[in-house]
Amino acid sequence: MISETAVRNYIRISETASCRLRISHRVRQTEGRSAIPYKVRASFAIGNALEPLVVTMLKEGGLIVDHARDYTTPIGEDPQIEMSIPILETADGTPCFWWKGHPDGLVRGISRDGLSPWLRSKLPVSVIEDLEHDIPVLLEIKTMNDSSYKDFVNNGLGANQFLAKYIYQIHGYMYGYRWLHQLPMQRTLVAAMNTYSRELETQHFNFDPATVEEALNYLIPVAEDALAGRIAEPDHDGSEPECTTCEFSHICPAAIRSRERSQERLQGLPTLVETAAERFDNLAAERMRLRKISEETATALTAIDAEIKELIGESPGIRSSSWAASFATVRGRKSLDKDAIADTYAHNGWELPYRQGAPTRRFSVKPLNPALADGTGEESDE
């Protein structure tokens, strides 16, 4: 249900990279339903719990940090934390729609004791130089699972779709400080903690006016739609990762179409599954049959080898009318190609261990007529 009386007159900076339909419904105060799995909610809760710890680590390492949660005044009343940037005006120039939010904090400088060796090794040189020249640095704290953390460490915030959304959020905060407070802010310090290993890594992100312009060009049509009573069209086809956690997927036309397409595909699956299942059953049964034959064959071969060794004893040069057994040395055998060894066995008989403790010595059993090696037991007429 859409509330006609509780329309927000702002978009939160943290919503900037979301689907425009999702932003529209939030602005319109549409009654959504939770689509966020409990595992994801648990990740959010872990992130909220770890954020103060990261701030403590940075402070103990020598940074002067103003953290949003340290303020006694409610968020929204402290101008250094909450920011409201007008993005739409009425005909007479009065602001009527805002871009609002608050960052995790602001790094204002380095303490008198200086940076600890640990934190100095973690901080980007550009951030240290800004702080040494009394240029504040925005602080954003992100907790990440192991996969996203590794992407962040190796490739930064642009590494994947999940991380890239923070780029607009960070620029919104930097733009707010530069525009509202005239702070010469050039960059953001992103402190990321791995929720699995508790490792901490930092990177800096430089301010880019073009990114702010891109974000505002994305948001202003949503704001205009909201003031006109319209809901923006979805940006996705209903199958993107954001769609699976969107609280408005039950009324999103793209998500509805996606579910209908999935249902149509499912209706065509029974024949395919049945055919595949039949083939799978046949292959599994055949493999078990061959494995049983292989096991029986291996057992029989072992018994034959034992009996042949008993007949030969330790006497080299023994022979019958068709077969001969002699000692062979196999030093360097590991350097030979396995296929070549198998091919040799197929044409020249086989080998038996001489005795335990002498792995390089073998009895080499060969047919006097190579034609016997094919297993038929018949000599060639040629």
Side-chain angles (χ1 to χ4, degrees), residues 65-124:
V65 180
D66 289 343
H67 184 216
R69 298 188 186 184
D70 293 339
Y71 281 71
T72 55
T73 54
I75 296 297
E77 296 180 14
D78 193 306
Q80 291 297 308
I81 294 297
E82 184 76 5
M83 56 187 64
S84 297
I85 307 165
I87 60 175
L88 280 184
E89 298 177 345
T90 59
D92 62 3
T94 303
C96 60
F97 208 95
W98 286 263
W99 198 20
K100 297 179 64 173
H102 62 85
D104 293 328
L106 190 68
V107 183
R108 294 188 180 275
I110 299 173
S111 67
R112 294 180 185 177
D113 296 331
L115 295 173
S116 68
W118 169 80
L119 188 54
R120 183 173 288 276
S121 70
K122 289 288 184 181
L123 291 178

Side-chain angles (χ1 to χ4, degrees), residues 43-319:
S43 297
F44 291 158
I46 292 171
N48 289 332
L50 289 177
E51 185 177 312
L53 173 62
V54 175
V55 172
T56 298
M57 294 169 67
L58 297 177
K59 287 181 175 180
E60 292 179 350
L63 292 181
I64 300 173
V65 180
D66 289 343
H67 184 216
R69 298 188 186 184
D70 293 339
Y71 281 71
T72 55
T73 54
I75 296 297
E77 296 180 14
D78 193 306
Q80 291 297 308
I81 294 297
E82 184 76 5
M83 56 187 64
S84 297
I85 307 165
I87 60 175
L88 280 184
E89 298 177 345
T90 59
D92 62 3
T94 303
C96 60
F97 208 95
W98 286 263
W99 198 20
K100 297 179 64 173
H102 62 85
D104 293 328
L106 190 68
V107 183
R108 294 188 180 275
I110 299 173
S111 67
R112 294 180 185 177
D113 296 331
L115 295 173
S116 68
W118 169 80
L119 188 54
R120 183 173 288 276
S121 70
K122 289 288 184 181
L123 291 178
V125 174
S126 57
V127 169
I128 296 175
E129 291 175 347
D130 279 359
L131 296 175
E132 289 176 342
H133 289 86
D134 297 322
I135 300 175
V137 175
L138 186 79
L139 173 64
E140 272 300 300
I141 300 169
K142 302 299 178 189
T143 53
M144 305 174 184
N145 62 28
D146 195 53
S147 175
S148 289
Y149 180 82
K150 290 175 180 176
D151 281 346
F152 171 77
V153 171
N154 294 327
N155 302 301
L157 284 179
N160 61 46
Q161 183 181 13
F162 176 75
L163 294 176
K165 67 182 183 181
Y166 294 131
I167 295 175
Y168 294 107
Q169 181 181 351
I170 288 169
H171 273 81
Y173 296 141
M174 284 196 285
Y175 177 68
Y177 273 115
R178 291 167 65 94
W179 185 81
L180 291 173
H181 306 300
Q182 302 300 308
L183 293 176
M185 185 176 291
Q186 299 296 327
R187 60 195 106 250
T188 293
L189 174 65
V190 181
M193 176 169 276
N194 186 323
T195 56
Y196 175 74
S197 66
R198 305 299 186 266
E199 294 174 273
L200 182 72
E201 187 64 42
T202 67
Q203 292 187 13
H204 76 277
F205 216 87
N206 295 329
F207 180 74
D208 178 17
T211 301
V212 175
E213 183 178 0
E214 183 180 337
L216 291 175
N217 287 339
Y218 180 79
L219 294 176
I220 287 175
V222 181
E224 292 172 338
D225 283 341
L227 293 178
R230 298 188 297 266
I231 297 296
E233 291 296 316
D235 294 302
H236 308 312
D237 64 358
S239 62
E240 294 296 318
E242 182 182 0
C243 303
T244 62
T245 59
C246 179
E247 64 270 37
F248 307 112
S249 61
H250 62 298
I251 54 176
C252 170
I256 292 171
R257 286 194 297 270
S258 178
R259 288 193 292 271
E260 290 173 348
R261 288 193 298 269
S262 297
Q263 189 61 37
E264 291 171 0
R265 287 193 294 269
L266 285 173
Q267 290 174 354
L269 280 180
T271 301
L272 174 63
V273 171
E274 188 174 318
T275 304
E278 182 180 354
R279 178 62 176 159
F280 173 68
D281 286 345
N282 291 338
L283 289 173
E286 178 66 7
R287 191 187 188 287
M288 292 301 292
R289 185 185 71 81
L290 292 174
R291 189 176 77 172
K292 185 174 181 180
I293 292 174
S294 177
E295 291 171 349
E296 292 173 348
T297 301
T299 300
L301 289 174
T302 300
I304 290 172
D305 287 347
E307 188 171 350
I308 288 177
K309 284 177 66 176
E310 185 177 350
L311 289 172
I312 295 174
E314 295 190 5
S315 302
I318 192 170
R319 59 180 291 170

Side-chain angles (χ1 to χ4, degrees), residues 323 339-350 365-375:
W323 295 83
D339 292 336
I341 294 173
D343 187 63
T344 299
Y345 289 164
H347 292 86
N348 297 316
W350 72 97
V365 181
K366 297 182 179 181
L368 297 179
N369 183 340
L372 295 175
D374 64 5

